Amino acid sequence: MAHATPPSALEQGGPIRVEHDRQRRQFSVRLNGCHDRAVLLYEYVGKRIVDLQHTEVPDAYRGRGIAKHLAKAALDFVVEEDLKAHLTCWYIQKYVKENPLPQYLERLQP
């Protein structure tokens, strides 16, 4: 008898868990077991400056607020580590416009 794989937290409507891989400089959310993932990529462009470069959510998972969780995790990381952020990614620019928290705004690089 074949065993069905348990549904991911996303399919169950559970919490979205963002993981931070400092070595690979990315935030990610596992979407379907471990095969599909949404990612936010960043690079250090100075000693205390990160460039939040790119957010990608697979087509099948778009519109569920996953990118918001990635953007929040990345910006909270910038705040917690007392870094400056350059926003190359259009989505993160949009997120900051929609969530203009002072702790985010004061850390943005032009």
Side-chain angles (χ1 to χ4, degrees), residues 83-98:
L83 303 171
K84 294 285 186 190
H86 180 72
L87 309 181
T88 297
C89 174
W90 69 267
Y91 182 83
I92 300 172
Q93 292 171 13
K94 177 179 169 244
Y95 179 86
V96 170
K97 277 192 185 112
E98 292 172 356

Side-chain angles (χ1 to χ4, degrees), residues 37-49:
R37 55 180 50 216
V39 295
L40 185 155
L41 307 175
Y42 68 92
E43 283 292 337
Y44 279 89
V45 293
K47 195 169 181 162
R48 312 278 313 148
I49 303 168

Side-chain angles (χ1 to χ4, degrees), residues 48 77-84 107:
R48 312 278 313 148
F77 161 70
V78 167
V79 171
E80 287 160 17
E81 298 287 318
D82 196 24
L83 303 171
K84 294 285 186 190
R107 288 183 169 76

Side-chain angles (χ1 to χ4, degrees):
M1 188 161 99
H3 293 285
T5 55
S8 69
L10 221 53
E11 291 163 23
Q12 296 171 349
I16 293 174
R17 215 176 99 235
V18 178
E19 297 170 11
H20 184 192
D21 184 335
R22 288 172 183 262
Q23 278 189 312
R24 295 170 85 180
R25 292 176 299 285
Q26 69 179 21
F27 292 87
S28 62
V29 174
R30 288 182 201 190
L31 300 170
N32 187 10
C34 60
H35 299 296
D36 294 330
R37 55 180 50 216
V39 295
L40 185 155
L41 307 175
Y42 68 92
E43 283 292 337
Y44 279 89
V45 293
K47 195 169 181 162
R48 312 278 313 148
I49 303 168
V50 290
D51 183 4
L52 303 179
Q53 296 178 323
H54 180 65
T55 306
E56 189 170 322
V57 177
D59 289 343
Y61 296 93
R62 291 195 177 153
R64 301 189 195 187
I66 297 165
K68 278 184 187 160
H69 286 272
L70 289 168
K72 181 182 184 325
L75 289 163
D76 288 348
F77 161 70
V78 167
V79 171
E80 287 160 17
E81 298 287 318
D82 196 24
L83 303 171
K84 294 285 186 190
H86 180 72
L87 309 181
T88 297
C89 174
W90 69 267
Y91 182 83
I92 300 172
Q93 292 171 13
K94 177 179 169 244
Y95 179 86
V96 170
K97 277 192 185 112
E98 292 172 356
N99 302 276
L101 301 177
Q103 66 265 36
Y104 294 164
L105 298 175
E106 68 192 20
R107 288 183 169 76
L108 299 185
Q109 288 282 102

